Amino acid sequence: MPTGYFSLVLHAHLPFVRHPEYPEFLEEDWLYEAITEVYLPLISVFSNLQQSGAAPRLAMNVSPPLCEMLADPLLESRYARHIENLIALSEKEIDRTAREAPEFSPSAHMYYDSLREAYQFWNERLGRNVVRGFRELQESGAIEIITCGATHGFLPLMSNIEAQRAQIEIAVANYHKHFGRQPRGIWLPECAYQPGIEHLLAASGIEYFIADSHAILYGDPRPRFGVHAPVRCPNGVAVFARDIETSQQVWSSISGYPGDSVYREFYRDLGWDAPYEYLLPHLHKDGERRHLGLKYHRVTSRTAALHEKGPYDPHIARQRAADHAGHFLGERIKQADHLRELFGGRPPLTVAPYDAELYGHWWFEGPQFLDFLFRKLHWDQSAVAAISPGDYLDSGQLIQTQTPSASSWGDEGYYKVWLNEGTAWMYPHQHDAEARLTALANAYPEAPSHQMYRALNQAARELLLAQSSDWAFQIYQGTTVEYAARRFRSHIRRFRMLADDIESGQINEERLTEIEARDNIFPELDYRTYRSR
Amino acid sequence: MLRRDAPVEVPAEVSETLAALAVDEPLPENYRTDRVSLLVQSPGRIYLYWNFASDPFATLRKAFGAQAEQYRVAVRLTDLDSGEEVTYEASPFANNFWFNVRPGKSYRAAVGLMAPGRPFLKLLASQIARTPRTSPSPYADTSLEFHIPAIDFARALNESGFTQAAIQVGLEAADAAAGPASIAAEWAPVDVGALSDEELSELRTLLAALAAGADVALLRLTLSPRLIEILDKLLATLDAAQLRALLGKALGFEIAPADETTVLLGPVWSASDVHFPQRSFRITAKSFPAGPSPAPSSHTNLKR
């Protein structure tokens, strides 16, 4: 038996961003960058690990909005255009850097090679179907895919149980569509838990959820094994909580791995550095400079200004990723040793949840780190075993019963990020829509016409999209405030237009068709999920 | 069923109806329905918003005539555990209110009207909101498999970076080892009088928070009036460093400022702004092992 267990949990989520009304849209780039830098590399790494006999056995949430975007034909065609553009630019960069900046040549070659490989992998191996890549990994036994809220809605701040339930049920139905089975686990949006949510999860067949550390540490009664074993709510749903030490090692701005001096610097980008006329054919039609994902500099030091950053060396960075994987594993072994002693001989479980986009987008070498880590876990030692949360539940270990404490993984540990002076204005509108949709669903146990059915379903889609916790988050963070606020307002407005039409019995067909075409998430959705029970 | 098999291209001309979809207008200020909601933001703060279907003063004027002018919109918060009520006048132009509250409590709010010398007229009553805990449960599992002694739980909390909670539970372990609960009062070097079990628990939380360097102003908001008195006495006689030294000596810990590698300044990367517990101090004791070692960097040469 190993000394301890390690469970990596990756949370892959992007808000549903799709603007067919424009030929291109800046915020859609979030998806295209993530496909190139995160999802394709992770699928490739995990596939190779599986084929080499070192199955990673981790859990990964691929959120419903992300699945829907990855499966969308419009976004697929736009992604092809995006990566073809980058390949063309990176090919030019090989010549340009050879002539003008040979210190960047190794990186230029790296980008050209990796982009072409990514394109080939996506186009040929996956058939342009990224979700298929994740599905195959699960079916081969490499990873365990879990779900999330339907549109990553913040459950504790919803006004009625119907709205909360719908987020779970629609997510589970969408998971069935994409992955052909029942999800065992769920990443609660923002790991936001309040007592009672577990009943909704159990009703949808969910066996476990991921929560933050203090959900268990402050739970009642005290957890025998701290965060190093799951607990079960009284209704049987299990809770796996985040280990702070592993979070710090990757995420801390002081001591975390991604801040290492040899790693790629995120904020120096060709899109800002290269001459404008040279770049112009590769920018959006608006001609605005933007991040392109081709970056030639390394972190250099925490205090170095952007113009002081040194050239990036991919080979040295790769070696550092291997070193860090070894260090991380060494720390897990040490941690398992002393925790096992504290826990009277029971092997501890360390649960390490992260945003998937950390690995590859924010931390460029992240997928390499994971590759090295899982190889070392499998081949270099036997003290710590990689397992998924589902594996742990299947192991037959006795699990303590506890009522977890209300919490989230957001700043300060509760709900402040989503409810504060800058975002409080959203909730009266959201709650009115929740109440109104529930009333409509109750009023129409059967839609009187196909058109009315479409309108009711679309009203549900607009509410779901308004509920995305990403909008309040972006407003709080001050990142894309205007876009986030506009998105929220537009979905509430569309909901209200549709609800007014439904209540009057006069549906504006042209408007309904256009809204359906734009906000086309969850075509399988049925508004009756919102009926009171 | 939506057609998903072909990309939708934008037509060159957009009708008036569709153009309306692109307009970004403010949302309604009033939904013409009575609604009130009490939402938890954090253990120390809850948010109330309300909406009146019709102007309550119009009804008041019909009933009381000129006397209606004496009334103001008010919000009343009830602590359902203690029964304590507090009423605040709300701005006539606002339809929301923030309350400072205490962790681990249940509250209900009401919106109404009040005038000098007159009873509060309740118009809308909210649902119950329960604030989260900010400290461990006082209860250990009673089963053999899952019971954890306080000192071991203190160690587990320290392992997870929950230093303040570890000190608090360490104090509890000291209480249990020393005998009657009143012994806990001896750790506070002021005359605290007879304390109930709940107040002793609160005192341990207070001492732990002070020792861990918690913000005193924020701490004050979470305390009962009795403990605020004790806090003020403590602040008059001790500073945090002295308190740490006293507690450390009594508990067998060393409570020292954390070095740079263990001070968590939040994530460097990724969209999520993930919570980390305040870790300005670290506890060391014979029974507590050392924390993680630093990662290799440009200046180390880790060979594996």
Side-chain angles (χ1 to χ4, degrees), chain A residues 20 222 242 258 261 331 429 473, chain B residues 10 31 172 269 271 275 293 298:
Chain A
R222 293 172 172 179
R242 180 167 68 111
S261 63
E331 292 300 301
H429 304 295
F473 177 83
Chain B
V10 180
Y31 280 98
E172 178 192 315
W269 314 112
H275 163 69
S293 50
S298 310

Side-chain angles (χ1 to χ4, degrees), chain A residues 20-22 68 72-74 157 212-214 217-225 227 242 244-245 247-249 251-255 257-261 266 302 320 323-324 326-327 331 334 338-339 341-342 355 358 362 398-400 405-406 409-416 419-421 424 427-429 431-432 435 450 473 477 486 489 492-494 496-497 508 510-511 514-516 518 520 523, chain B residues 1-2 4-10 14-15 17-18 20-29 31 33 35 37 39-43 45 47 49 98 132-141 145-148 150 152-153 155-157 159-162 165 169 172 260-277 279 289-298 300 302 304:
Chain A
E21 67 273 26
Y22 299 102
E68 292 289 284
D72 184 84
L74 174 68
L157 292 177
D212 206 40
S213 318
H214 50 303
L217 291 177
Y218 293 170
D220 188 20
R222 293 172 172 179
R224 170 68 180 90
F225 305 110
V227 298
R242 180 167 68 111
I244 295 291
E245 184 177 313
S247 272
Q248 176 190 358
Q249 284 177 322
W251 253 333
S252 167
S253 60
I254 302 292
S255 59
Y257 302 131
D260 191 282
S261 63
F266 181 86
R302 263 166 49 203
R320 185 56 47 81
D323 293 344
H324 283 151
H327 176 265
E331 292 300 301
K334 201 168 72 171
H338 69 247
L339 285 173
E341 178 264 317
L342 174 63
D355 282 344
L358 170 67
W362 298 98
L398 280 179
I399 298 178
Q400 184 181 7
S405 187
W409 82 337
D411 187 27
E412 299 188 11
Y414 300 99
Y415 311 154
K416 177 183 170 181
L419 174 62
N420 52 76
E421 281 77 353
Y427 294 98
H429 304 295
H431 294 169
D432 182 79
H450 180 64
F473 177 83
Q477 291 287 83
R486 279 180 67 104
R489 284 194 294 267
I492 293 293
R493 286 186 67 244
R494 291 173 192 181
R496 288 171 48 76
M497 286 179 193
N508 182 318
E510 183 186 27
R511 185 168 63 195
E514 179 60 22
I515 295 176
E516 284 176 321
R518 294 191 193 190
N520 65 348
Chain B
M1 185 70 178
L2 296 179
R4 297 286 303 277
D5 56 345
V8 175
E9 292 304 327
V10 180
V14 177
S15 74
T17 301
L18 303 184
L21 290 177
V23 173
D24 185 23
E25 291 177 347
L27 296 173
E29 289 188 9
Y31 280 98
T33 183
R35 177 170 288 124
S37 188
L39 301 174
V40 171
Q41 183 205 57
S42 68
R45 214 153 175 245
Y47 176 71
Y49 79 81
W98 289 93
R133 306 181 58 87
T134 53
S135 60
S137 165
Y139 306 112
D141 201 298
E145 298 93 345
F146 300 117
H147 178 78
I148 183 167
D152 288 342
F153 189 49
R155 184 177 163 188
L157 288 164
E159 285 288 331
S160 290
F162 284 69
V169 176
E172 178 192 315
E260 192 184 68
T261 60
T262 59
V263 173
L264 300 177
L265 299 183
V268 57
W269 314 112
S270 103
S272 295
D273 191 5
V274 174
H275 163 69
F276 287 99
R279 208 174 186 177
S293 50
S297 68
S298 310
T300 65
L302 183 68
R304 289 191 65 85

Side-chain angles (χ1 to χ4, degrees), chain A residues 152 154 187-193 209-212 215 353 407-410:
Chain A
H152 212 263
F154 198 87
W187 181 294
L188 288 178
E190 316 296 357
C191 295
Y193 171 77
F209 64 91
I210 308 298
D212 206 40
S407 51
S408 85
W409 82 337

